Amino acid sequence: MADKQDTNATKHQEPLFVDDDRYEIFDDDQLSLKAGLLGLVAALFGGAASALAAWFVLHRLSLPAFGGSQLTRAVATAAIVIILVATTVLLYFFATKGADNRPRWLTWLTYLVSYLSPAALVIAAVGIPLGSTKLWLDGLSVDQEFRTEYLTRMTAEFGLHDMSYIDVASYYPAGWFFLGGRLANLLGIDGWEVFQPWSLMTLAAAGCILVPVWQRLGGSLPVATGIALVTTAVALATVADEPYAAAVAMGLPAMSVMAWRGLGGAWSAMIGVIVFLGISATFYTLHTGVGALIVIVLALVAWASARSWMPVLRLAVMGVGSMVIAATVWGPYVWAVLSGKPRSGATATHYLPADGAQLYLPMFAASVIGVVCFVGVIWLLVRATEPDARAMGLATLVLYGWTVASMIATLVGQTLLGFRLAAPITFMLLTAGVFALADARLNGVERYWPQAASPRVARKVTSVMAALLLLAGIGYAQSIPNKIHGAIDLAHTDTDGNGERADRFAPNSGTWYAEVDRTLRDAGLVPSETVVLSDEKNFQALYPWYSFQALTSHYANPLGEFDRRNEALEAWSKIKDPDQLIAAMDAAPWRGPDAIVLRGEAKPVGGKDAGPLTLDIADDIYPNNPNVIFRNLSFARSVFDKHWNLKQVGPFVVAIRQ
């Protein structure tokens, strides 16, 4: 495999790519820049539209709950087999017949199936198992509480509003949630309910986009489809619960290759990096930061090897361009910080699970993915002098460097959340592994067994590799629902926004949330103008009332001053006089609660004292794992004798300020 030099620009008549090094073996299906852009747009909208259409169909069927029946598993497995077999067979004939011998219908059908195969895999492996519930993976548990809360906020109000605090500039990147809110408005559904279709569309579109992108970069439709499918499969099995982060991670290998080409002068590649980093900054901060660091390291290497300042200048152009896009979401928060707004209490980096205390080495896993990653490592080392392999190799080193730096950062009371880079590392090595397999097939026989390198032998080798890869792919893909079985179960056992459980068992206290919401509205309160104090995390996630306090400090907006609000709540819980409580709330530097949702009894029951009304608050206890502890605050019943109207709603007492 040799590098092509400036002759590529002449051959393809693309002056913007005068430096665009490509591998000879992958030039057969090379897309022009125009065709690549058209393919990207088609893949984006085709993948998203097909996922949305499938979601509509699946939720009009009567599939049994995934955990209680093997029927859903069987349907999912059958769909996976059909998708992978059809894609592999079409690509086999597409590749072996050659461009001059392929009928037009085969070419068009292969493109259609290849470009949409990642979306079909998303629907088969995750969409079908979730077809009997309205919730996404993990239901409303753990981190999905705050993500659902953010979607609910963005659905209820147009603009960049904080998920919890009123009149505070948004902190957590709002791009994905803002677009999801618009989809909910278009479909006429609530924010919590749009989580599932929007996640399916996101993962499907991200996987489909990889096909034209890698076909443009690598020059081969079969190789591009292989990268897209294996990346999508691993994303579904590992990080699908956080779809916006998964989408960014899936694109990091391609961004690394584009960055290297862009630093060499390929302006279309520079634009690709600008758009990727800009959009990713509106989706997920960590992966954007790592991606930016990759580009910086590549620029330093290019500067040192070329002995020219041009790579640094191009780095500046990419940095400024991406920041302009990022400012569409980050602008209000940055302005608030520059304006001197007080900040405290946020602890986003205070999390160190077991995965964050060791180096992630997927190449040694006893699985098909481990084998592909291992082959990818070998390929990166052997092909280290090739431009694209060099870019991915350096990017992989940056990812590992960030992971090690995260471990060291624990000494100063922080982390860099290095455990979340397991997926990008895997995607980088998997991409290299797919290239390695293609390299071995297309160069190995000719180079090491030239006397047998006839078309007939080449077809046999291709047939054997295709069959083995197909079986390996089916084996891994059909296991995806089992790998995320716990997350699927939570989607069926958590009580949704309709007060129901998808498995038809009795719901929890969430069945009363609708009545709590109705009580607040009947009192004349409006969600977009009202602050509610409550420790009912799922109520905050399902209904768009602003919160006096965020769920935990780890996803709280720094401008909200989580720690100081906790101190205020502790002080308020010790007050016994109604007038003093109102005075303390009014004296706080933040908008006080217009209503409070507590646990307890509004009135004595059976002649007994009603007892205190209780509320939980969360404390950060990093470096412990779990890193959050909840403790109980008790409010004297008498403190609500004045200034508040109390109403009993199931196990809750709703106190509405007069």
Side-chain angles (χ1 to χ4, degrees), residues 77 80-82 84-85 469-479:
T77 300
I80 289 170
V81 172
I82 292 171
L84 295 184
V85 169
L469 292 174
L470 173 60
L471 293 174
I474 290 174
Y476 183 84
Q478 72 175 355
S479 71

Side-chain angles (χ1 to χ4, degrees), residues 571-593:
W572 295 351
S573 69
K574 298 174 183 177
I575 296 175
K576 306 300 180 183
D577 182 80
D579 294 327
Q580 291 181 7
L581 177 62
I582 291 296
M585 289 182 174
D586 290 343
W590 322 282
R591 168 88 175 270

